């Protein structure tokens, strides 16, 4: 079995100043946990499922991009999550 490569740092994974600006603008347009572009249904937003209005904290990639820059920058693959929903989704490995 080949040894695993160490995980690249956030900047190497694409989370640059450009991402910070894009994510900030996205959160301004979609400020509530579970909001997505084009009214798409969120993934793992308990706030949305329970009808709660919780301010979003982070922009999440619905489908993990795994370095795919097309998927990384596709806003249809983004959603806003609060800290609790984001942590729950990450813990689930999604």
């Amino acid at each position: 079995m080949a040894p695993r490569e160490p995980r690249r740092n956030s900047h190497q994974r694409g989370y640059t100043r450009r991402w910070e600006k894009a994510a900030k603008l996205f959160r301004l347009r979609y400020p509530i946990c579970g909001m997505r572009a084009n009214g798409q249904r969120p993934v793992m937003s308990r706030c949305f499922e329970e009808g709660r209005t919780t301010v979003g904290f982070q922009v999440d990639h619905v489908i993990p991009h795994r370095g795919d820059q097309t998927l990384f920058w596709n806003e249809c693959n983004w959603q806003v999550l609060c800290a609790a929903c984001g942590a729950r989704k990450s813990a689930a490995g999604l």
Side-chain angles (χ1 to χ4, degrees):
M1 180 182 268
R4 286 180 53 155
E5 288 186 32
R7 185 173 185 194
R8 298 179 301 158
N9 69 39
S10 61
H11 190 269
Q12 292 168 328
R13 294 189 326 265
Y15 297 99
T16 61
R17 188 87 175 112
R18 179 179 169 210
W19 166 257
E20 289 173 20
K21 288 179 183 180
K24 182 177 182 177
L25 287 173
F26 193 82
R27 284 192 314 273
L28 287 172
R29 279 184 277 152
Y30 306 101
I32 305 301
C33 181
M35 292 184 103
R36 291 184 68 187
N38 304 320
Q40 297 176 86
R41 189 160 182 80
V43 175
M44 293 194 72
S45 171
R46 187 173 286 167
C47 294
F48 177 84
E49 293 165 7
E50 295 177 357
R52 287 187 307 220
T53 303
T54 308
V55 174
F57 169 74
Q58 67 188 54
V59 176
D60 170 67
H61 290 92
V62 176
I63 300 169
H65 59 86
R66 310 248 191 270
D68 178 336
Q69 290 299 296
T70 301
L71 194 56
F72 184 94
W73 290 106
N74 182 351
E75 287 191 21
C76 290
N77 187 42
W78 299 358
Q79 66 181 349
V80 173
L81 295 176
C82 68
C85 290
R88 191 175 308 104
K89 185 172 180 279
S90 292
L94 301 174

